[in-house]
């Protein structure tokens, strides 16, 4: 991955925007709907599944690839709806410029223009520092390569939202999933939009119990991996 790769903003099938990298033919979100994907993969199959299994005073979430902040924003909004305290850590090596993030217009597409300042706060918050964004949501953005993650037994839920294996195969290996396994608490859950057999096997190799679930619109399947109790 290079810092200076060309970027275009495109509109996905549900009307929400994403960043397209033409040289790699890769997007930050699904072309079939950025918001639909975030809601299906990370919120429904990740956040709500985890909260269904057990209750938490504060749920600790790690995001692999903070990017535009869309997943963080949608998680914050859900936390507000159900009054759940969320401690959210977003890891990102190549931060999106604030102007580009604001241009995505997510609050407007979600019909909550009044939350624009909250979305902006996610991006204005200082890196490497825990910042209280709302009464329910604390965010720490870490500028870090995924390979350098060394957390142990710290998270209840991981949103694994790296670019696809076609573009960055090194991020979908047992070496990275081992780090994810270590970072999770026992019973912790990792969700990802990917469904490839090689990815599922790499997860199983390091000890995860893996389920194939129906994918978001435009995608047949996705994966959910659980660290045994
Ligand atoms: C699919 S996008 C994430 C989209 C993001 N979750 C969102 O809601 O906008 C993948 C992200 O991983 C970042 N990235 C790529 N390679 C990385 C690496 N080796 N370490 C850390 N971040 C990386 C990219 O800059 C990009 O923001």
């Amino acid at each position: 991955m290079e810092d200076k790769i060309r970027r275009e903003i495109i509109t996905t099938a549900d009307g929400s925007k994403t960043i397209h990298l033409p040289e790699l033919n890769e997007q930050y979100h699904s072309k079939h709907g950025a918001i639909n994907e975030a809601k299906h993969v990370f919120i429904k199959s990740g956040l709500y599944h985890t909260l269904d299994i057990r209750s938490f005073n504060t749920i600790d979430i790690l995001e692999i690839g903070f990017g535009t902040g869309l997943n963080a924003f949608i998680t914050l909004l859900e936390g507000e709806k159900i009054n759940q305290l969320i401690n959210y850590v977003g890891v990102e090596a190549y931060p999106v410029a604030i102007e580009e993030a604001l241009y995505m217009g997510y609050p407007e597409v979600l019909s909550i223009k009044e939350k624009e300042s909250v979305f902006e706060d996610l991006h204005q918050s200082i890196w490497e520092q825990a910042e209280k964004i709302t009464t329910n949501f604390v965010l720490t953005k870490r500028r870090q390569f995924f390979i350098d993650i060394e957390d142990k037994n710290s998270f209840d839920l991981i949103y694994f939202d790296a670019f696809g294996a076609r573009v960055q195969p090194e991020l979908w290996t047992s070496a990275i999933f081992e780090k994810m396994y270590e970072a999770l608490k026992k019973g912790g859950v990792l969700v990802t939009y990917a469904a490839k057999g090689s990815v599922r096997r790499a997860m199983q190799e390091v000890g995860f119990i893996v389920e194939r679930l129906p994918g978001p619109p435009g995608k047949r399947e996705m994966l959910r991996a659980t660290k045994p109790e």
Side-chain angles (χ1 to χ4, degrees):
M1 279 295 307
E2 285 181 32
D3 263 318
K4 289 284 163 249
I5 213 153
R6 198 153 57 85
R7 308 156 78 79
E8 291 170 351
I9 309 272
I10 61 165
T11 301
T12 69
D14 64 8
S16 55
K17 294 192 174 78
T18 192
I19 301 167
H20 174 65
L21 307 175
E23 280 102 359
L24 302 176
N25 189 25
E26 179 67 324
Q27 289 74 233
Y28 275 54
H29 308 95
S30 165
K31 283 194 281 195
H32 301 284
I35 286 178
N36 281 346
E37 177 186 51
K39 285 188 171 169
H40 179 91
V41 176
F42 301 108
I43 302 299
K44 176 168 171 264
S45 312
L47 180 64
Y48 280 114
H49 165 78
T50 306
L51 295 173
D52 276 351
I53 303 175
R54 74 173 75 119
S55 50
F56 299 86
N57 176 19
T58 301
I59 184 168
D60 292 303
I61 303 180
L62 172 67
E63 179 175 27
I64 298 303
F66 181 79
T68 65
L70 174 61
N71 290 339
F73 185 50
I74 291 189
T75 302
L76 176 154
L77 296 172
E78 290 302 321
E80 216 165 63
K81 257 193 234 163
I82 58 175
N83 201 19
Q84 172 65 54
L85 297 178
I86 297 174
N87 178 41
Y88 197 100
V89 174
V91 175
E92 175 60 61
Y94 311 99
V96 169
I98 184 152
E99 300 74 26
E100 192 175 32
L102 296 181
Y103 183 74
M104 308 304 284
Y106 291 132
E108 188 167 5
V109 185
L110 287 161
S111 307
I112 43 165
K113 223 170 171 314
E114 70 280 6
K115 297 279 187 198
E116 224 155 41
S117 64
V118 175
F119 183 74
E120 194 168 342
D121 288 345
L122 293 174
H123 285 278
Q124 295 283 19
S125 72
I126 299 173
W127 288 78
E128 323 303 339
Q129 201 166 292
E131 295 244 359
K132 194 166 187 173
I133 306 293
T134 63
T135 50
N136 284 333
F137 194 92
V138 173
L139 172 67
T140 308
K141 292 187 297 188
R142 291 193 341 213
R143 187 157 187 181
Q144 185 180 32
F145 286 105
F146 303 142
I147 194 72
D148 296 330
I149 291 175
E150 297 289 355
D151 304 76
K152 306 277 180 237
N153 295 315
S154 304
F155 297 98
D156 303 297
L157 176 61
I158 295 178
Y159 295 166
F160 196 86
D161 199 15
F163 289 132
R166 180 184 54 81
V167 177
Q168 288 187 291
E170 70 282 7
L171 298 181
W172 298 88
T173 56
S174 48
I176 295 284
F177 290 123
E178 177 85 58
K179 288 183 175 287
M180 299 299 113
Y181 190 89
E182 290 295 320
L184 283 171
K185 301 175 197 171
K186 282 188 177 159
V189 170
L190 176 152
V191 275
T192 185
Y193 63 87
K196 274 181 89 167
S198 56
V199 172
R200 181 165 47 88
R201 287 189 291 278
M203 291 170 166
Q204 284 166 335
E205 232 170 74
V206 302
F208 277 116
I209 297 163
V210 186
E211 300 165 84
R212 279 190 296 206
L213 303 174
K219 200 133 193 294
R220 207 158 55 88
E221 289 183 331
M222 58 164 279
L223 297 175
R224 181 165 64 208
T226 303
K227 178 171 176 170
E229 289 287 350

